[in-house]
Amino acid sequence: MAKKVLVSGGAGFIGSHIVDRLVRRNDMETLVIVDNFWTGLRENLAHVTDPRVHLVQADVETFATAEKFDEIIHLASPASPPWYMREPARTIKANLVGALNLVEMLNPGGRISFASTSEVYGDPLISPQPESYRGQVDCTGPRSSYDESKRCTESLLFELHRTAGIDIRIVRLFNVYGTRTRPDDGRAVSNFLSQALTTGELTIYGDGLQSRSWGYVDDIVSALERYFWLDNVDYCGPLNVGNDREIPVIDVARHIVSLVPGARLKLCPPIPQDPTNRRPDLTLCRKVLPGWEANITYEEGVRRTLEWFREAVVLKGAQTDAPSPVRLES
Ligand code: NAD
Ligand code: UDP
């Protein structure tokens, strides 16, 4: 039977790559994309001409339609700390109220997939982090609108699964980078690339020894399409998805400095409650998605992203002034 599919946040960085995978499907009747262009860009979808695709500009938490869907993929939420920290109530609404609204649009037997985050582990005390780790999150801290709304949306979906039998898929994504991140997004890799190509000063928050595990978008979206719709996976989640090569922020910046002549590091004050480390335990992921690996090396991923940023920033003159989560000296 041909499926009716809805994606929230489809004009965003990951969402637009998901849309590219969805339009390859021949079992899909319609694809409705709901996005309010808060952090997403219409141009991320400009190349999509498939007549089954309908782009609706709306807030996911108030979007209304008489249609019902067989599959819903809920991605609507900023992921960049300076963006979500500026509008915490809006971030909570996008995730949690958005999910509450979307589950009402499911056809009987329909499935909702949700992009949760490694932020549910907070500043982790164990490494790598398996899905069973309950995390170390401050529910009153500066990252809480994001961390806690992801945690609460996971709770909502698991409870609906338990009490109403709703089919769910929950992934916990670790840091993703790549083409179509907006040049003023403010996250590490994209910020460093934008800065290298403009001011030349790469802002390191704190000593730069805090680490993350950086997954290239094509690898991550390959795991998502298998988990959300391609493989007949009988596992609701939560499922860690990411690249388990952990690299300190300062090494990421130094690598980019080595690729762009004139680029240099600028040490800035630390961000309050910036997690010190993050690395996925992928044991479960490898069982659930046999054969899947994050194959694109960090060096290759950065090379591809740099090429894309050169075109966006240098040739097309995209806005690069990301909001900052710390006070920078002028
Ligand atoms: P993004 O900011 O590029 O995309 C988010 C999209 O959601 C944007 O198009 C934005 O306009 C839209 N949006 C936000 N609030 C909305 C609302 N209320 N109504 C409708 N649309 C709304 O972010 P991304 O990096 O593509 O992240 C996509 C999803 O993956 C998010 O849920 C994020 O939390 C999750 N995630 C991302 C990462 C990562 O490293 N990129 C890591 C963990 C989890
Ligand atoms: N970071 C940095 N300079 C920047 C942007 C980010 O030093 O210009 C650091 C940030 O403090 C954090 C890491 O890079 O320790 C990853 O930040 P990002 O915003 O990409 O993701 P998150 O903090 O959500 O993991």
Side-chain angles (χ1 to χ4, degrees), residues 207-229:
D207 57 15
L209 296 179
Q210 67 273 31
S211 57
R212 297 290 189 274
S213 301
W214 315 89
Y216 188 66
V217 66
D218 290 10
D219 279 335
I220 302 308
V221 169
S222 293
L224 294 183
E225 72 173 342
R226 285 187 56 185
Y227 185 50
F228 288 169
W229 70 85

Side-chain angles (χ1 to χ4, degrees), residues 9 11-15 34-40 58-61 75-79 94-95 115-117 146 150 173-176 187:
F13 159 49
I14 296 176
V34 179
D35 202 299
N36 61 3
F37 304 113
W38 173 11
T39 53
D59 295 329
V60 65
E61 57 272 24
L75 305 174
S77 165
N95 281 287
S116 185
T117 169
Y146 186 70
K150 292 291 188 187
L173 297 177
F174 286 65
N175 295 59
V176 189
R187 280 175 277 180

Side-chain angles (χ1 to χ4, degrees), residues 37-41 77-88 90-91 145-146 182-187 191 319 321-325:
F37 304 113
W38 173 11
T39 53
L41 298 169
S77 165
S80 170
W83 285 78
Y84 67 68
M85 284 175 185
R86 280 196 311 190
E87 296 191 68
R90 200 177 175 197
T91 300
S145 66
Y146 186 70
R182 46 186 301 156
D184 60 353
D185 175 90
R187 280 175 277 180
N191 216 25
Q319 165 76 26
D321 258 352
S324 168

Side-chain angles (χ1 to χ4, degrees), residues 54-75:
H54 308 278
L55 175 59
V56 183
Q57 181 168 1
D59 295 329
V60 65
E61 57 272 24
T62 52
F63 170 68
T65 174
E67 276 202 69
K68 297 280 181 195
F69 298 90
D70 304 300
E71 294 174 29
I72 293 179
I73 300 175
H74 183 26
L75 305 174

Side-chain angles (χ1 to χ4, degrees), residues 21-315:
R21 302 294 177 102
L22 281 167
V23 296
R24 294 180 189 172
R25 288 175 68 167
N26 50 23
D27 67 339
M28 189 179 72
E29 183 184 310
T30 51
L31 171 60
V32 173
I33 302 171
V34 179
D35 202 299
N36 61 3
F37 304 113
W38 173 11
T39 53
L41 298 169
R42 203 176 271 279
E43 69 205 49
N44 283 342
L45 296 172
H47 60 285
V48 180
T49 53
D50 190 313
R52 296 171 301 172
V53 175
H54 308 278
L55 175 59
V56 183
Q57 181 168 1
D59 295 329
V60 65
E61 57 272 24
T62 52
F63 170 68
T65 174
E67 276 202 69
K68 297 280 181 195
F69 298 90
D70 304 300
E71 294 174 29
I72 293 179
I73 300 175
H74 183 26
L75 305 174
S77 165
S80 170
W83 285 78
Y84 67 68
M85 284 175 185
R86 280 196 311 190
E87 296 191 68
R90 200 177 175 197
T91 300
I92 293 169
K93 273 196 228 165
N95 281 287
L96 183 59
V97 186
L100 279 163
N101 190 29
L102 291 176
V103 291
E104 298 299 325
M105 296 173 196
L106 278 177
N107 265 328
R111 175 194 308 150
I112 180 162
S113 303
F114 175 58
S116 185
T117 169
S118 59
E119 288 281 318
V120 300
Y121 303 125
D123 191 4
L125 298 176
I126 61 166
S127 180
Q129 296 87 50
E131 289 83 352
S132 55
Y133 179 52
R134 294 191 183 167
Q136 209 212 170
V137 177
D138 176 2
C139 70
T140 63
R143 303 173 84 91
S144 59
S145 66
Y146 186 70
D147 304 355
E148 295 291 2
S149 63
K150 292 291 188 187
R151 287 167 77 100
C152 193
T153 305
E154 284 199 21
S155 308
L156 169 75
L157 295 177
F158 271 101
E159 287 302 326
L160 289 174
H161 173 67
R162 266 191 286 271
T163 58
I166 291 183
D167 192 11
I168 62 169
R169 298 284 181 277
I170 294 180
V171 286
R172 293 179 177 161
L173 297 177
F174 286 65
N175 295 59
V176 189
Y177 70 98
T179 59
R180 301 193 198 144
T181 318
R182 46 186 301 156
D184 60 353
D185 175 90
R187 280 175 277 180
V189 176
S190 56
N191 216 25
F192 293 156
L193 289 172
S194 285
Q195 291 168 333
L197 294 169
T198 54
T199 61
E201 289 189 328
L202 281 61
T203 51
I204 305 292
Y205 303 143
D207 57 15
L209 296 179
Q210 67 273 31
S211 57
R212 297 290 189 274
S213 301
W214 315 89
Y216 188 66
V217 66
D218 290 10
D219 279 335
I220 302 308
V221 169
S222 293
L224 294 183
E225 72 173 342
R226 285 187 56 185
Y227 185 50
F228 288 169
W229 70 85
L230 276 186
D231 292 15
N232 257 333
V233 173
D234 184 22
Y235 174 65
C236 297
L239 186 72
N240 286 343
V241 170
N243 186 327
D244 55 5
R245 178 171 163 203
E246 189 174 9
I247 307 177
V249 168
I250 196 144
D251 291 356
V252 171
R254 283 193 183 122
H255 178 65
I256 291 171
V257 162
S258 76
L259 299 176
V260 183
R264 59 210 173 275
L265 305 185
K266 179 181 177 186
L267 295 181
C268 304
I271 311 182
Q273 296 197 10
D274 196 358
T276 52
N277 70 100
R278 228 23 110 47
R279 179 172 168 227
D281 182 328
L282 295 176
T283 310
L284 189 55
C285 184
R286 291 182 176 120
K287 261 191 212 143
V288 170
L289 304 175
W292 177 82
E293 283 298 330
N295 288 319
I296 296 162
T297 61
Y298 166 74
E299 290 75 11
E300 173 59 15
V302 168
R303 193 194 61 73
R304 291 186 197 181
T305 313
L306 173 58
E307 249 170 56
W308 186 87
F309 267 71
R310 267 195 218 284
E311 179 158 339
V313 174
V314 182
L315 297 180

